[in-house]
Coordinates of all heavy atoms in Angstrom, one line a residue:
M6 N 112.0 71.6 92.2 CA 112.4 73.0 92.1 C 111.3 73.9 91.7 O 110.5 73.6 90.8 CB 113.6 73.2 91.1 CG 114.7 72.4 91.4 SD 115.6 72.9 92.9 CE 116.4 74.4 92.4
T7 N 111.1 75.1 92.3 CA 110.1 76.0 91.9 C 110.7 77.1 91.1 O 111.0 78.2 91.7 CB 109.4 76.5 93.2 OG1 110.4 77.2 94.1 CG2 108.7 75.5 94.0
A8 N 110.8 76.8 89.8 CA 111.4 77.8 89.0 C 110.7 79.0 88.8 O 111.2 80.1 88.4 CB 111.7 77.1 87.6
D9 N 109.4 79.1 89.0 CA 108.6 80.2 88.9 C 108.4 81.1 90.1 O 107.6 82.0 90.2 CB 107.2 79.8 88.4 CG 106.4 78.9 89.4 OD1 107.1 78.4 90.3 OD2 105.3 78.7 89.2
A10 N 109.2 80.8 91.1 CA 109.1 81.6 92.4 C 109.9 82.9 92.1 O 111.0 82.9 91.7 CB 109.8 80.8 93.5
Y11 N 109.2 83.9 92.4 CA 109.8 85.2 92.3 C 109.2 86.3 93.3 O 108.1 86.0 93.7 CB 109.8 85.8 90.9 CG 108.4 86.0 90.3 CD1 107.8 87.3 90.4 CD2 107.7 85.0 89.7 CE1 106.5 87.4 89.9 CE2 106.4 85.1 89.1 CZ 105.8 86.3 89.3 OH 104.6 86.6 88.8
L12 N 110.0 87.2 93.6 CA 109.5 88.2 94.5 C 108.5 89.2 93.8 O 108.8 89.6 92.7 CB 110.7 89.0 95.2 CG 111.6 88.1 96.0 CD1 112.8 88.9 96.5 CD2 110.8 87.6 97.2
V13 N 107.6 89.7 94.6 CA 106.7 90.7 94.1 C 106.4 91.7 95.1 O 106.3 91.3 96.3 CB 105.3 90.0 93.7 CG1 104.2 91.0 93.3 CG2 105.5 89.1 92.5
I14 N 106.2 93.0 94.7 CA 105.6 94.0 95.6 C 104.4 94.5 94.9 O 104.3 94.5 93.7 CB 106.6 95.1 96.0 CG1 107.1 95.8 94.8 CG2 107.8 94.6 96.7 CD1 107.9 97.0 95.2
L15 N 103.4 94.9 95.7 CA 102.2 95.4 95.2 C 102.0 96.9 95.3 O 102.4 97.5 96.4 CB 101.0 94.7 95.9 CG 101.0 93.2 95.7 CD1 99.9 92.6 96.6 CD2 100.8 92.8 94.2
C16 N 101.5 97.6 94.3 CA 101.3 99.0 94.3 C 100.1 99.3 95.3 O 99.1 98.5 95.3 CB 100.9 99.5 92.9 SG 100.5 101.2 93.0
D17 N 100.3 100.3 96.2 CA 99.2 100.6 97.1 C 98.4 101.8 96.6 O 97.5 102.3 97.3 CB 99.8 101.0 98.5 CG 100.4 99.7 99.1 OD1 99.8 98.7 99.2 OD2 101.5 99.7 99.5
G18 N 98.6 102.2 95.4 CA 97.8 103.3 94.8 C 96.4 102.8 94.6 O 96.1 101.7 94.3
A19 N 95.5 103.7 94.5 CA 94.0 103.3 94.3 C 93.8 102.9 92.9 O 94.3 103.7 92.0 CB 93.2 104.5 94.8
D20 N 93.0 101.9 92.7 CA 92.6 101.4 91.3 C 93.8 101.3 90.4 O 93.8 101.8 89.3 CB 91.6 102.4 90.7 CG 90.3 102.5 91.6 OD1 89.9 101.5 92.1 OD2 89.9 103.6 91.7
C21 N 94.8 100.6 90.9 CA 96.1 100.5 90.1 C 95.8 99.5 88.9 O 95.3 98.4 89.1 CB 97.2 100.0 90.9 SG 98.7 100.1 90.0
P22 N 96.1 100.0 87.7 CA 95.9 99.1 86.5 C 97.0 98.0 86.4 O 96.8 97.0 85.7 CB 96.0 100.1 85.3 CG 96.9 101.1 85.8 CD 96.6 101.3 87.3
E23 N 98.1 98.2 87.1 CA 99.1 97.2 87.0 C 99.9 97.2 88.4 O 101.0 97.6 88.5 CB 100.2 97.7 85.9 CG 101.1 96.7 85.4 CD 102.0 97.2 84.2 OE1 101.7 98.4 83.8 OE2 102.8 96.4 83.8
P24 N 99.2 96.5 89.3 CA 99.7 96.6 90.8 C 100.9 95.8 91.1 O 101.5 96.0 92.1 CB 98.4 96.2 91.6 CG 97.8 95.1 90.6 CD 98.0 95.7 89.1
E25 N 101.3 94.8 90.2 CA 102.4 94.0 90.6 C 103.8 94.5 90.1 O 103.9 94.9 88.9 CB 102.2 92.6 90.1 CG 101.2 91.8 90.8 CD 101.3 90.3 90.5 OE1 102.2 89.9 89.7 OE2 100.5 89.5 91.0
G26 N 104.8 94.6 91.0 CA 106.1 95.0 90.6 C 107.0 93.8 90.9 O 107.1 93.3 91.9
H27 N 107.6 93.3 89.8 CA 108.6 92.2 90.0 C 109.7 92.5 89.0 O 109.8 93.4 88.3 CB 107.9 90.9 89.8 CG 107.2 90.8 88.5 ND1 107.8 90.5 87.3 CD2 105.8 90.9 88.3 CE1 106.8 90.4 86.4 NE2 105.6 90.6 86.9
W28 N 110.7 91.5 89.1 CA 111.9 91.7 88.4 C 112.3 90.4 87.8 O 112.1 89.3 88.4 CB 113.0 92.2 89.3 CG 114.2 92.8 88.5 CD1 115.4 92.2 88.3 CD2 114.2 94.0 87.8 NE1 116.2 93.0 87.6 CE2 115.5 94.1 87.3 CE3 113.3 95.1 87.6 CZ2 116.0 95.3 86.5 CZ3 113.7 96.1 86.9 CH2 115.0 96.2 86.3
P29 N 112.8 90.3 86.5 CA 113.2 89.0 85.9 C 114.1 88.2 86.9 O 115.0 88.8 87.5 CB 114.0 89.5 84.6 CG 113.4 90.8 84.3 CD 113.1 91.5 85.7
V30 N 113.9 87.0 86.9 CA 114.6 86.1 87.9 C 116.1 86.1 87.6 O 116.8 85.9 88.6 CB 114.0 84.7 87.8 CG1 114.8 83.6 88.5 CG2 112.6 84.6 88.2
R31 N 116.6 86.3 86.4 CA 118.0 86.1 86.1 C 118.8 87.2 86.9 O 120.0 87.0 87.1 CB 118.3 86.2 84.7 CG 118.0 87.6 84.0 CD 118.4 87.5 82.5 NE 118.1 88.8 81.9 CZ 117.0 89.3 81.4 NH1 115.9 88.5 81.6 NH2 116.9 90.4 80.9
F32 N 118.1 88.3 87.3 CA 118.8 89.2 88.1 C 118.9 88.9 89.6 O 119.5 89.6 90.4 CB 118.3 90.6 87.9 CG 118.6 91.1 86.5 CD1 117.6 91.1 85.5 CD2 119.9 91.7 86.2 CE1 118.0 91.6 84.2 CE2 120.2 92.1 84.9 CZ 119.2 92.1 83.9
E33 N 118.0 87.9 90.0 CA 118.1 87.4 91.3 C 118.0 88.4 92.4 O 118.9 88.4 93.3 CB 119.4 86.6 91.4 CG 119.4 85.4 90.6 CD 120.8 84.5 90.8 OE1 121.3 84.7 92.0 OE2 121.0 83.8 90.0
P34 N 116.9 89.2 92.5 CA 116.7 89.9 93.8 C 116.4 88.9 94.9 O 115.4 88.1 94.7 CB 115.6 90.8 93.5 CG 114.8 90.1 92.3 CD 115.9 89.4 91.5
H35 N 117.1 88.9 95.9 CA 116.8 87.9 97.0 C 115.9 88.3 98.1 O 115.4 87.6 98.9 CB 118.1 87.4 97.6 CG 119.0 86.6 96.6 ND1 118.6 85.4 96.0 CD2 120.2 87.0 96.1 CE1 119.6 85.0 95.2 NE2 120.5 85.9 95.2
T36 N 115.7 89.7 98.2 CA 115.0 90.2 99.3 C 114.0 91.3 98.7 O 114.2 91.8 97.6 CB 115.8 90.9 100.4 OG1 116.5 92.0 99.8 CG2 116.8 89.9 100.9
H37 N 113.0 91.6 99.4 CA 112.0 92.6 99.0 C 112.8 94.0 99.0 O 112.5 94.8 98.2 CB 110.9 92.7 99.9 CG 109.8 91.6 99.6 ND1 109.9 90.3 100.1 CD2 108.8 91.6 98.7 CE1 108.9 89.6 99.6 NE2 108.2 90.3 98.7
R38 N 113.8 94.1 99.9 CA 114.5 95.4 99.9 C 115.3 95.6 98.6 O 115.3 96.6 98.1 CB 115.4 95.3 101.1 CG 116.3 96.6 101.4 CD 116.9 96.6 102.7 NE 117.8 97.6 102.9 CZ 119.1 97.4 102.8 NH1 119.6 96.2 102.5 NH2 120.0 98.4 102.9
E39 N 115.9 94.5 98.1 CA 116.7 94.5 96.9 C 115.7 94.7 95.7 O 116.1 95.5 94.8 CB 117.5 93.3 96.8 CG 118.4 93.3 95.5 CD 119.4 92.1 95.5 OE1 119.2 91.2 96.3 OE2 120.1 92.0 94.5
L40 N 114.7 94.1 95.8 CA 113.6 94.3 94.7 C 113.1 95.7 94.6 O 113.0 96.2 93.5 CB 112.5 93.3 95.0 CG 111.2 93.4 94.0 CD1 111.7 93.1 92.5 CD2 110.1 92.5 94.4
R41 N 112.9 96.3 95.7 CA 112.5 97.7 95.8 C 113.5 98.6 95.2 O 113.2 99.5 94.4 CB 112.1 98.1 97.1 CG 110.8 97.6 97.6 CD 110.3 98.3 98.9 NE 109.0 97.8 99.3 CZ 108.8 96.9 100.2 NH1 109.9 96.2 100.7 NH2 107.6 96.4 100.4
R42 N 114.8 98.3 95.5 CA 115.9 99.1 95.0 C 115.9 99.0 93.5 O 116.1 100.1 92.8 CB 117.2 98.6 95.6 CG 118.4 99.5 95.3 CD 119.7 99.0 95.9 NE 120.1 97.6 95.4 CZ 120.5 97.3 94.2 NH1 120.9 98.3 93.3 NH2 120.8 96.1 93.9
L43 N 115.8 97.8 92.9 CA 115.7 97.6 91.5 C 114.6 98.3 90.8 O 114.8 99.0 89.8 CB 115.8 96.1 91.1 CG 117.0 95.4 91.4 CD1 116.8 93.9 91.3 CD2 118.2 95.7 90.4
L44 N 113.4 98.2 91.4 CA 112.3 98.8 90.8 C 112.3 100.3 90.9 O 111.9 101.0 89.9 CB 111.0 98.2 91.4 CG 110.7 96.8 91.2 CD1 109.4 96.4 92.1 CD2 110.4 96.6 89.7
K45 N 112.9 100.8 91.9 CA 113.1 102.3 92.1 C 114.1 102.8 91.0 O 113.8 103.8 90.3 CB 113.6 102.6 93.4 CG 113.8 104.1 93.7 CD 114.3 104.4 95.1 CE 114.5 105.8 95.4 NZ 114.9 106.1 96.7
K46 N 115.2 102.1 90.8 CA 116.2 102.6 90.0 C 115.8 102.4 88.5 O 116.1 103.3 87.8 CB 117.5 101.8 90.2 CG 118.7 102.2 89.4 CD 119.9 101.4 89.8 CE 121.1 102.0 88.9 NZ 122.3 101.1 89.3
H47 N 115.1 101.4 88.1 CA 114.9 101.1 86.7 C 113.5 101.3 86.3 O 113.2 101.4 85.1 CB 115.3 99.6 86.4 CG 116.7 99.4 86.7 ND1 117.7 99.8 85.8 CD2 117.4 98.7 87.6 CE1 118.9 99.3 86.3 NE2 118.7 98.8 87.4
R48 N 112.5 101.2 87.3 CA 111.1 101.3 86.8 C 110.4 102.5 87.3 O 109.2 102.7 87.0 CB 110.4 100.0 87.3 CG 111.0 98.8 86.7 CD 110.4 98.5 85.4 NE 111.1 97.3 84.7 CZ 110.8 96.0 84.9 NH1 109.9 95.7 85.8 NH2 111.5 95.0 84.3
G49 N 111.0 103.3 88.2 CA 110.2 104.5 88.8 C 109.4 104.2 89.9 O 108.5 105.0 90.3
W50 N 109.5 103.0 90.5 CA 108.6 102.8 91.8 C 109.1 103.6 92.9 O 110.2 104.0 93.0 CB 108.7 101.3 92.2 CG 107.8 100.4 91.4 CD1 108.0 100.1 90.0 CD2 106.6 99.7 91.8 NE1 106.9 99.2 89.6 CE2 106.1 98.9 90.8 CE3 106.1 99.6 93.1 CZ2 105.0 98.2 90.9 CZ3 104.9 98.7 93.2 CH2 104.4 98.1 92.0
R51 N 108.1 103.9 93.9 CA 108.6 104.7 95.0 C 108.1 104.0 96.3 O 107.1 103.2 96.3 CB 107.9 106.0 95.0 CG 108.5 107.0 94.0 CD 107.8 108.4 94.2 NE 107.9 108.8 95.6 CZ 106.9 109.4 96.2 NH1 105.7 109.6 95.6 NH2 107.0 109.7 97.5
R52 N 108.9 104.2 97.4 CA 108.5 103.7 98.7 C 108.2 105.0 99.5 O 109.1 105.7 99.8 CB 109.6 102.9 99.2 CG 109.4 102.4 100.7 CD 108.6 101.1 100.7 NE 108.8 100.5 102.1 CZ 107.9 99.5 102.4 NH1 106.8 99.2 101.7 NH2 108.1 99.0 103.5
T53 N 107.0 105.1 100.1 CA 106.6 106.3 100.8 C 107.1 106.2 102.2 O 107.4 105.1 102.7 CB 105.1 106.5 100.7 OG1 104.5 105.4 101.5 CG2 104.6 106.5 99.3
R54 N 107.1 107.3 102.9 CA 107.7 107.3 104.2 C 106.7 106.5 105.2 O 107.2 106.0 106.2 CB 107.7 108.8 104.8 CG 109.0 109.5 104.3 CD 109.1 110.8 105.0 NE 108.0 111.7 104.7 CZ 107.7 112.9 105.2 NH1 108.5 113.3 106.2 NH2 106.7 113.5 104.8
D55 N 105.5 106.4 104.9 CA 104.6 105.6 105.7 C 104.4 104.2 105.3 O 103.6 103.5 105.7 CB 103.1 106.3 105.8 CG 102.6 106.4 104.4 OD1 103.3 106.2 103.4 OD2 101.4 106.8 104.3
G56 N 105.5 103.7 104.4 CA 105.6 102.3 104.1 C 104.7 101.8 103.0 O 104.6 100.5 102.9
R57 N 104.2 102.7 102.1 CA 103.4 102.1 101.0 C 104.3 102.1 99.8 O 105.3 102.8 99.6 CB 102.2 103.0 100.8 CG 101.3 103.0 101.9 CD 100.0 103.8 101.5 NE 100.3 105.2 101.0 CZ 99.6 105.8 100.2 NH1 98.5 105.3 99.7 NH2 99.9 107.0 99.8
D58 N 104.0 101.1 98.9 CA 104.7 101.0 97.6 C 103.8 101.6 96.5 O 102.6 101.3 96.4 CB 104.9 99.6 97.2 CG 105.9 99.0 98.2 OD1 107.1 99.4 98.4 OD2 105.6 97.9 98.9
L59 N 104.5 102.5 95.7 CA 103.7 103.1 94.6 C 104.4 102.8 93.3 O 105.6 103.1 93.1 CB 103.6 104.6 94.8 CG 102.7 105.0 96.0 CD1 102.8 106.6 96.1 CD2 101.3 104.6 95.9
C60 N 103.7 102.4 92.3 CA 104.2 102.1 90.9 C 104.3 103.4 90.2 O 103.8 104.5 90.7 CB 103.2 101.1 90.2 SG 101.7 101.9 89.6
P61 N 104.9 103.4 89.0 CA 105.2 104.7 88.3 C 103.8 105.4 88.0 O 103.8 106.6 87.8 CB 105.8 104.2 87.0 CG 106.5 102.9 87.4 CD 105.7 102.3 88.4
N62 N 102.7 104.6 87.9 CA 101.4 105.3 87.6 C 100.9 106.2 88.8 O 100.2 107.1 88.6 CB 100.3 104.2 87.4 CG 100.6 103.4 86.1 OD1 100.9 104.0 85.0 ND2 100.6 102.1 86.2
H63 N 101.4 105.9 90.0 CA 101.1 106.6 91.2 C 102.2 107.4 91.7 O 102.0 108.2 92.7 CB 100.5 105.6 92.2 CG 99.1 105.0 91.8 ND1 99.1 103.8 91.3 CD2 97.9 105.6 91.8 CE1 97.7 103.6 91.0 NE2 97.1 104.7 91.3
A64 N 103.3 107.2 91.3 CA 104.5 108.0 91.9 C 104.4 109.5 91.8 O 103.8 109.9 90.9 CB 105.8 107.4 91.3
Ligands
LIG5 ZN1 99.9 101.9 90.9

């Protein structure tokens, strides 16, 4: 079993100090779409119209 497997999205902002966005496994996001929804709602991440992911530092 790969207990440490978890979904990650990366910030596309320039020189990001904290480029990885992920979510605790117990909430079980199964898709990147669901992960983005959680990060947007709770962490302030954004998905731009041209398909880039931006963390709260760049939003
Ligand atoms: Zn960033």
Side-chain angles (χ1 to χ4, degrees):
M6 300 294 285
T7 54
D9 59 346
Y11 59 93
L12 294 173
V13 171
I14 61 175
L15 297 176
C16 177
D17 292 311
D20 299 323
C21 189
E23 199 174 353
E25 284 195 0
H27 51 80
W28 196 255
V30 170
R31 68 180 182 276
F32 289 100
E33 296 183 18
H35 294 297
T36 65
H37 282 89
R38 184 163 168 266
E39 185 176 0
L40 175 61
R41 284 194 178 92
R42 186 180 62 77
L43 287 166
L44 290 174
K45 179 179 179 180
K46 183 175 182 182
H47 299 284
R48 300 274 174 81
W50 279 68
R51 286 186 51 222
R52 178 80 163 162
T53 66
R54 278 186 300 170
D55 56 352
R57 298 186 306 151
D58 293 304
L59 293 176
C60 76
N62 295 310
H63 289 103

